Amino acid sequence: MCQKTPEGWKAVAQGFSDHWNFHHCVGALDGKHISMRALRKGGSYYYRYKGFHSLVLLALVDSDYKFIYIDVGASGVNSDVGVFFNTPLGRALDNDQVGLPPCEPLPGGDHSIPYFIDGDDAFPLKEYLEKQFPLRGLSQEERLFNNY
């Protein structure tokens, strides 16, 4: 599963630092609902509230958009967040079992900051999971952060 060692995660973070000036990020996470035809006798198991049947592709990518973790096949009735927390990666992160590096200061800083995964605003804020500001009522600084 993913990098497994602090050194492996730091190599991914270095890519985000070098390419995007986004320090301590060890991956970008998102889900995509893949539309499908309803299964015969499948009932509403794959039925999504937006009016179609789907399964979920959840992916963690590095700074070059290369997959470093994927989970495919969860029922479309689930949200990205629900799928993520039921994956081996989500459970391992919650149990501090993926080998993320210890907190360190950002370049030029003096306060220790954790290494983290970047998710969209649907994901909850956790020490290992950073997210954008909600897209409503943003200050200029918050808009700039989201567009970073």
Side-chain angles (χ1 to χ4, degrees), residues 28-140:
L29 179 70
D30 203 3
K32 177 69 177 165
H33 283 262
I34 301 167
S35 175
M36 61 183 259
R37 264 191 253 163
L39 298 175
R40 184 179 295 170
K41 298 184 181 180
S44 61
Y45 186 67
Y46 286 92
Y47 189 75
R48 189 163 186 234
Y49 72 93
K50 291 191 176 182
F52 60 94
H53 289 78
S54 69
L55 55 85
V56 180
L57 162 71
L58 185 79
L60 182 68
V61 298
D62 68 12
S63 62
D64 293 317
Y65 310 109
K66 293 179 183 168
F67 292 108
I68 55 179
Y69 181 84
I70 62 168
D71 183 88
V72 180
S75 165
V77 74
N78 296 298
S79 67
D80 297 352
V81 176
V83 171
F84 173 66
F85 286 115
N86 285 305
T87 64
L89 176 61
R91 290 190 300 269
L93 281 161
D94 260 350
N95 294 316
D96 196 24
Q97 297 175 328
V98 296
L100 289 178
C103 298
E104 297 177 343
L106 295 173
D110 58 358
H111 292 43
S112 288
I113 304 294
Y115 284 80
F116 60 87
I117 291 172
D118 182 48
D120 63 23
D121 69 338
F123 290 93
L125 188 61
K126 293 190 170 259
E127 184 170 319
Y128 62 81
L129 188 57
E130 182 268 351
K131 64 184 220 164
Q132 297 177 344
F133 288 100
L135 299 177
R136 297 162 299 285
L138 298 178
S139 69
Q140 182 176 354

